[in-house]
Amino acid sequence: VEDEPNKICESDRIAIKANIVPLMLSSPEQIQKQLSDAISIIGREDFPQKWPDLLTEMVNRFQSGDFHVINGVLRTAHSLFKRYRHEFKSNELWTEIKLVLDAFALPLTNLFKATIELCSTHANDASALKVLFSSLILIAKLFYSLNFQDLPEFFEDNMETWMTNFHSLLTLDNKLLQTDDEEEAGLLELLKSQICDNAALYAQKYDEEFQPYLPRFVTAIWNLLVTTGQEVKYDLLVSNAIQFLASVCERPHYKHLFEDQNTLTSICEKVIVPNMEFRAADEEAFEDNSEEYIRRDLEGSDIDTRRRAACDLVRGLCKFFEGPVTGIFSGYVNSMLQEYAKNPSVNWKHKDAAIYLVTSLASKAQTQKHGITQANELVNLTEFFVNHIQPDLKSASVNEFPVLKADGIKYIMIFRNQVPKEQLLVSIPLLINHLQAESIVVHTYAAHALERLFTMRGTNNTTLITAAEMAPFVEVLLTNLFKALTLPGSSENEYIMKAIMRSFSLLQESIIPYIPSVITQLTQKLLAVSKNPSKPHFNHYMFESICLSIRITCKANPDAVGSFEEALFMVFTEILQNDVQEFIPYVFQVMSLLLEMHKNEIPSSYMALFPHLLQPVLWERTGNIPPLVRLLQAYLERGANTIASAAADKIPGLLGVFQKLIASKANDHQGFYLLNSIIEHMPPESVDQYRKQIFILLFQRLQNSKTTKFIKSFLVFINLYCIKYGALALQEIFDSIQPKMFGMVLEKIIIPEIQKVSGQVEKKICAVGITKILTECPPMMDTEYTKLWTPLLQALIGLFELPEDDTIPDEEHFIDIEDTPGYQTAFSQLAFAGKKEHDPVGQMVNNPRIHLAQSLHKLSTACPGRVPSMLSTSLNAEALQYLQGYLQAASVTLL
């Protein structure tokens, strides 16, 4: 890690690097794989600069003729070079790749040729072929990595060798390499899949150079597709082969290969339709492994599925041949639907394929957030929806033909922007009904579809579907959503919980009558899940839903906060006592929300908890810090007097937290949030004895590490202090620490750095504070500090008028969250527990520019003649002009 201390001493590093390659090569295969990974981890740090002989050592082993050794080297090279596939272009990367190519490309090519020859020599020896084909797969992967960034000159010159051999391997079929396993891909399939990838890479990136070879690859891959069976073990091969065709048919100068109507028909008939079929393996996943099925189908992690590849090929073909392709497929869709109509219970898979075909034909561009954003004009989506989708969803049983129900719900979800709103409104009660389906996929899709419909935007930034339109369905929607959480397999279903959150957010006060039952169910769920939290998204939406219930109810009836505390505090106590790390940051956020709802004093239930919040162990975890600071701020805002009178012995603990936070570059701003709340809300006498110590701590941190973030927070704090205790008190406390300290702070920190302060409230605090220093601090008028008066005024006018200075010194750009040892649950901000921005000078000062003018006027009445003379001698003309403007706006003059 850059600039981190080197934890392994240099001599050990050298010794490890000298011995690890020979050790790896002489180890059994399982250990060899682990050591090979270790080499690539060391390589990420040290290769090539600090490990220059690694490549030669590896290349020399190619000569050994022992394929156990050779495969070890190839495996290591693969784990070392595969990052070239996703690194951004940079000079260092290119230099490294050039170095690798110079040393590695020729030996790799020779090894490739030699291995191919050995394959024909040992064509009848199964065990030898297995080793040789493992080598060929690794060689093909290395070819991909080394050619990914750019076409290397060496490979361009040797394209004939590589491509001819790749082509013959694609067409090779050796009975000895065929496997009986239907699930697991064999060596032959893996090699051919990788070659399809390599060919696709060249066809996409280096099409001019690859042109002479392309037609024979298209033919070979086409034949491969037509002759490969439907077994699961061929899935990767088939999807890579189809992806190759998809990438080729999108390129303008390969258009001619696909133009013929017969070619298109045959691609549709022999490649696309068969690979869209819902297979036994899919049916199995749908029923028994629904989580994986949903992830693949909804979240698009089905990159390697045949369906996904076939879908991409349809989109690719539509780029140039939209009319003919749509024509061919419409015929297929109609015949499939007719087959289904003849005997639905036997032929339902035909309808499934038809829906899938329509979806892949119609969707040109899709995003997770908005569904389909561009559709094929030739497909009438609404008509298909009304005739073929709605009848399935309207049927009496929600459990019949679950795959078709899921297809129908997914259709609504995908085409929600194309189907007219009145059709969506017809669908909503149908979707609510399907929340009761037994099939996990069906009720999950129903919840997800509702959640997506509720987030659609209508005109002028409102939701498309309004709370009023949902009014007739509120009760059944909430009942069915909570019931769905009791269905087998869905007790922690994140899609259902997200739909609950979104429904609350859309329906707002119309959920109030149901809150008592809802909050009981949410609390029971929270208690159950807290025993073993395993679904982070589910948990997050659950807490968001709790916050929404509190917000919506207390907005209508602020006194209801007590009933929420009654319902929740028991569970919260249990979570805190059992130290459920994942939930503690959430609990603090909900408690802050509840406490901020109280108007006057802090209830005793909160005060009992207060000492526990200061325990150092809670502050060790980074995820707890933001919500805990907010909770302590809520305590200070609502109950500073109670703390001062009933828990004064806890003030040192509170300041101890501030001291810990201020020492950390990552969390110092949180320390200032806390300190500012202490200064703003605590009765002055309760913090008197600690004040000087606070300033000393801040100065020590300034001396040790002065970062921009710290300076910005420090400036806001001293100005807030000045507003609260007066400018004279600020000057006195500085000068009591060290004579003339106040002048140094003005000259070295406030005047040069004030421009960096950002945020409206923060700027306002600084403006009011500086105005006080200028106009309510006698030493500024008649001591050696007077020379700083005009520069300070100039800096203040700059804060008002100049753009914010957001430059950050170079070395600070890299400050990151401190690397805390061990796993830390990060802090997840709850959107619906948000805190309103608080303005401590809101009541006192509305417009800080006018406030400055009025204060200067007041000062000039107290000592006539002084202010104008100070201004005329050293304030620059532009600043003076702005100041005249403020004085005019405030209708005052300076005497």
Side-chain angles (χ1 to χ4, degrees):
V1 182
E2 228 169 273
D3 304 329
E4 278 289 299
N6 187 344
K7 307 236 171 58
I8 304 171
C9 74
E10 203 48 45
S11 58
D12 285 355
R13 279 180 170 248
I14 293 167
I16 292 171
K17 286 189 290 201
N19 294 306
I20 193 163
V21 176
L23 177 67
M24 183 261 310
L25 297 175
S26 59
S27 301
E29 188 168 346
Q30 289 321 64
I31 296 175
Q32 194 181 66
K33 284 180 177 167
Q34 288 175 326
L35 286 170
S36 152
D37 281 345
I39 293 176
S40 74
I41 292 167
I42 302 173
R44 273 207 301 274
E45 286 295 312
D46 287 8
F47 178 78
Q49 284 80 10
K50 297 183 192 160
W51 201 351
D53 50 356
L54 174 62
L55 280 179
T56 26
E57 190 176 355
M58 281 164 58
V59 168
N60 289 341
R61 307 280 172 166
F62 284 166
Q63 266 66 60
S64 69
D66 174 349
F67 271 87
H68 175 71
V69 171
I70 290 173
N71 281 354
V73 172
L74 290 171
R75 204 169 288 120
T76 307
H78 173 53
S79 53
L80 208 53
F81 304 153
K82 69 171 176 232
R83 65 186 183 85
Y84 302 157
R85 302 174 180 198
H86 43 246
E87 293 255 330
F88 287 116
K89 295 192 158 123
S90 69
N91 285 339
E92 291 104 282
L93 181 70
W94 287 65
T95 316
E96 181 181 324
I97 295 179
K98 184 174 181 330
L99 191 104
V100 169
L101 287 165
D102 291 346
F104 211 79
L106 178 62
L108 186 70
T109 308
N110 292 337
L111 179 68
F112 181 49
K113 290 194 289 203
T115 313
I116 299 264
E117 275 170 35
L118 286 170
C119 285
S120 49
T121 322
H122 294 282
N124 301 320
D125 177 351
S127 57
L129 284 177
K130 278 185 183 148
V131 180
L132 293 168
F133 267 75
S134 307
S135 308
L136 287 172
I137 292 170
L138 287 163
I139 292 171
K141 287 182 171 177
L142 284 165
F143 177 90
Y144 190 84
S145 301
L146 294 174
N147 282 276
F148 191 87
Q149 290 280 342
D150 199 7
L151 177 55
E153 199 178 325
F154 178 88
F155 284 105
E156 193 178 339
D157 298 342
N158 288 275
M159 202 182 295
E160 179 66 33
T161 305
W162 283 93
M163 289 306 158
T164 313
N165 283 314
F166 277 160
H167 179 261
S168 61
L169 287 170
L170 267 184
T171 49
L172 173 92
D173 189 17
N174 189 317
K175 296 281 176 284
L176 294 175
L177 286 166
Q178 287 174 357
T179 54
D180 299 332
D181 189 335
E182 289 202 355
E183 301 281 319
E184 205 57 41
L187 293 170
L188 203 54
E189 288 81 48
L190 291 171
L191 176 61
K192 290 181 178 184
S193 312
Q194 186 56 52
I195 291 174
C196 288
D197 263 356
N198 295 354
L201 176 77
Y202 266 55
Q204 272 173 320
K205 296 181 97 167
Y206 317 124
D207 45 7
E208 272 179 41
E209 296 82 353
F210 187 55
Q211 217 153 358
Y213 303 94
L214 186 90
R216 63 180 110 153
F217 271 91
V218 171
T219 314
I221 288 175
W222 170 255
N223 290 333
L224 196 70
L225 280 171
V226 183
T227 53
T228 302
Q230 283 283 358
E231 291 83 359
V232 175
K233 67 172 172 183
Y234 300 123
D235 283 8
L236 179 68
L237 171 57
V238 169
S239 74
N240 280 0
I242 297 178
Q243 291 291 5
F244 166 78
L245 287 182
S247 62
V248 171
C249 72
E250 281 184 342
R251 318 288 295 186
H253 49 257
Y254 299 146
K255 209 165 108 177
H256 61 277
L257 295 172
F258 298 91
E259 254 160 351
D260 185 5
Q261 183 79 13
N262 296 335
T263 310
L264 284 175
T265 308
S266 124
I267 289 181
C268 295
E269 188 179 319
K270 296 195 171 122
V271 176
I272 291 170
V273 174
N275 285 302
M276 284 210 174
E277 277 170 21
F278 196 76
R279 297 176 303 164
D282 299 315
E283 203 170 344
E284 220 171 280
F286 186 94
E287 286 166 14
D288 304 330
N289 192 356
S290 46
E291 229 173 285
E292 182 55 30
Y293 181 90
I294 292 166
R295 201 172 17 250
R296 275 206 325 237
D297 194 40
L298 270 192
E299 298 169 15
S301 67
D302 59 345
I303 309 305
D304 293 338
T305 60
R306 296 175 177 233
R307 277 196 148 181
R308 180 57 167 268
C311 209
D312 289 345
L313 179 54
V314 173
R315 283 188 201 157
L317 288 169
C318 282
K319 191 168 170 183
F320 295 121
F321 314 108
E322 191 167 38
V325 170
T326 309
I328 295 167
F329 278 142
S330 303
Y332 276 108
V333 169
N334 290 332
S335 68
M336 286 170 181
L337 290 170
Q338 282 158 8
E339 282 302 307
Y340 165 75
K342 282 183 207 160
N343 187 347
S345 56
V346 175
N347 296 339
W348 61 267
K349 287 185 181 173
H350 287 288
K351 180 163 184 180
D352 168 79
I355 297 174
Y356 207 87
L357 250 179
V358 170
T359 310
S360 57
L361 257 183
S363 46
K364 286 185 169 175
Q366 180 171 10
T367 67
Q368 197 75 45
K369 198 169 170 192
H370 301 296
I372 297 295
T373 50
Q374 250 187 316
N376 176 339
E377 306 300 317
L378 305 168
V379 181
N380 186 331
L381 292 167
T382 307
E383 194 179 295
F384 188 83
F385 177 66
V386 174
N387 296 338
H388 300 290
I389 301 288
Q390 259 180 7
D392 284 345
L393 297 179
K394 281 182 172 163
S395 77
S397 158
V398 290
N399 293 320
E400 192 185 26
F401 303 136
V403 175
L404 294 182
K405 306 269 196 211
D407 289 339
I409 296 171
K410 190 178 169 200
Y411 187 97
I412 298 176
M413 211 160 19
I414 293 183
F415 294 116
R416 57 185 184 272
N417 290 306
Q418 281 68 35
V419 172
K421 180 177 172 179
E422 56 272 18
Q423 296 298 345
L424 296 179
L425 289 172
V426 173
S427 309
I428 283 177
L430 304 175
L431 292 171
I432 293 174
N433 200 17
H434 281 83
L435 290 167
Q436 301 181 58
E438 286 162 17
S439 156
I440 297 179
V441 177
V442 174
H443 62 243
T444 301
Y445 279 21
H448 188 47
L450 286 164
E451 191 271 330
R452 294 285 82 196
L453 294 181
F454 293 166
T455 47
M456 290 175 70
R457 287 182 191 280
T459 44
N460 60 43
N461 225 1
T462 52
T463 53
L464 177 72
I465 289 163
T466 63
E469 287 163 332
M470 285 304 296
F473 312 119
V474 175
E475 185 166 350
V476 59
L477 170 67
L478 295 178
T479 309
N480 286 3
L481 278 168
F482 278 98
K483 248 199 236 155
L485 287 175
T486 62
L487 293 167
S490 277
S491 62
E492 291 180 43
N493 185 319
E494 64 185 69
Y495 292 99
I496 298 175
M497 194 46 93
K498 191 175 188 186
I500 290 175
M501 171 190 85
R502 201 69 72 192
S503 305
F504 285 7
S505 177
L506 174 73
L507 298 168
Q508 291 293 328
E509 55 278 3
S510 41
I511 68 168
I512 293 178
Y514 309 98
I515 286 291
S517 106
V518 156
I519 201 75
T520 311
Q521 296 181 72
L522 283 171
T523 325
Q524 287 165 346
K525 185 55 85 181
L526 173 58
L527 188 59
V529 203
S530 66
K531 306 273 184 276
N532 177 21
S534 55
K535 296 277 180 71
H537 287 109
F538 176 85
N539 301 336
H540 188 87
Y541 299 135
M542 174 176 56
F543 278 105
E544 291 281 21
S545 303
I546 292 172
C547 290
L548 272 162
S549 326
I550 296 171
R551 280 218 131 134
I552 292 167
T553 314
C554 294
K555 185 175 160 193
N557 169 20
D559 299 337
V561 65
S563 55
F564 283 105
E565 288 164 349
E566 265 169 52
L568 290 164
F569 269 27
M570 216 185 70
V571 191
F572 284 180
T573 312
E574 197 162 315
I575 289 172
L576 294 171
Q577 279 170 347
N578 295 333
D579 192 28
V580 185
Q581 295 195 16
E582 296 87 332
F583 282 5
I584 289 179
Y586 287 125
V587 167
F588 291 149
Q589 289 179 79
V590 180
M591 286 183 66
S592 306
L593 182 67
L594 289 165
L595 184 48
E596 286 157 9
M597 297 278 176
H598 284 279
K599 287 291 167 276
N600 350 41
E601 274 303 292
I602 291 191
S604 55
S605 53
Y606 286 90
M607 280 315 292
L609 185 68
F610 183 65
H612 301 287
L613 300 178
L614 304 174
Q615 287 172 351
V617 55
L618 277 178
W619 295 88
E620 294 301 322
R621 294 186 209 134
T622 39
N624 288 348
I625 292 174
L628 256 180
V629 167
R630 175 183 168 190
L631 183 54
L632 289 179
Q633 284 183 288
Y635 270 90
L636 290 161
E637 280 161 25
R638 294 289 178 271
N641 293 330
T642 317
I643 294 174
S645 56
D649 56 331
K650 295 294 172 275
I651 296 175
L654 201 54
L655 291 166
V657 169
F658 150 74
Q659 181 173 357
K660 179 179 165 52
L661 293 173
I662 215 80
S664 140
K665 286 180 186 170
N667 296 314
D668 49 19
H669 61 294
Q670 296 284 352
F672 276 111
Y673 291 159
L674 188 58
L675 179 60
N676 292 346
S677 288
I678 294 173
I679 294 300
E680 188 185 343
H681 300 292
M682 287 298 278
E685 62 283 359
S686 65
V687 285
D688 269 349
Q689 61 195 41
Y690 309 108
R691 268 191 265 179
K692 190 167 174 181
Q693 189 52 39
I694 291 173
F695 276 89
I696 290 172
L697 283 172
L698 293 175
F699 279 118
Q700 284 169 342
R701 166 65 212 268
L702 264 177
Q703 278 170 325
N704 296 335
S705 70
K706 173 177 151 185
T707 63
T708 308
K709 179 161 75 104
F710 185 85
I711 296 275
K712 283 158 75 164
S713 302
F714 179 70
L715 287 167
V716 175
F717 160 70
I718 50 183
N719 284 299
L720 184 68
Y721 186 95
C722 173
I723 294 166
K724 181 79 184 170
Y725 295 117
L728 196 56
L730 182 71
Q731 177 259 323
E732 283 168 353
I733 197 158
F734 276 138
D735 286 350
S736 72
I737 294 172
Q738 190 186 318
K740 306 212 171 112
M741 175 76 122
F742 182 58
M744 287 193 286
V745 171
L746 283 175
E747 193 176 355
K748 297 275 189 300
I749 298 176
I750 299 183
I751 294 171
E753 305 280 9
I754 197 73
Q755 213 55 49
K756 292 208 161 85
V757 174
S758 53
Q760 268 183 306
V761 174
E762 287 83 352
K763 286 183 165 178
K764 190 168 162 188
I765 292 172
C766 291
V768 177
I770 291 175
T771 301
K772 278 188 173 307
I773 296 175
L774 287 166
T775 60
E776 295 173 22
C777 178
M780 285 299 288
M781 297 303 284
D782 46 21
T783 62
E784 70 271 32
Y785 294 154
T786 312
K787 63 176 188 303
L788 296 169
W789 192 89
T790 327
L792 184 60
L793 175 62
Q794 173 112 10
L796 174 56
I797 296 171
L799 177 67
F800 287 144
E801 307 301 342
L802 294 172
E804 181 188 314
D805 169 14
D806 54 6
T807 52
I808 289 185
D810 290 344
E811 75 281 1
E812 264 182 56
H813 166 67
F814 298 102
I815 291 174
D816 205 0
I817 299 297
E818 272 137 67
D819 296 313
T820 32
Y823 170 72
Q824 293 277 330
T825 38
F827 162 62
S828 299
Q829 176 86 49
L830 289 167
F832 294 112
K835 184 179 181 196
K836 289 202 219 36
E837 183 157 54
H838 166 68
D839 176 0
V841 285
Q843 318 236 263
M844 205 167 59
V845 174
N846 193 1
N847 180 332
R849 292 177 172 83
I850 298 213
H851 175 68
L852 170 66
Q854 290 163 337
S855 306
L856 285 172
H857 167 70
K858 205 163 135 198
L859 175 70
S860 74
T861 11
C863 41
R866 289 284 309 278
V867 178
S869 80
M870 291 192 335
L871 292 178
S872 58
T873 48
S874 49
L875 193 68
N876 81 20
E878 203 178 348
L880 196 55
Q881 206 174 346
Y882 279 123
L883 186 60
Q884 302 291 343
Y886 307 159
L887 293 163
Q888 268 170 349
S891 345
V892 293
T893 50
L894 301 178
L895 306 173

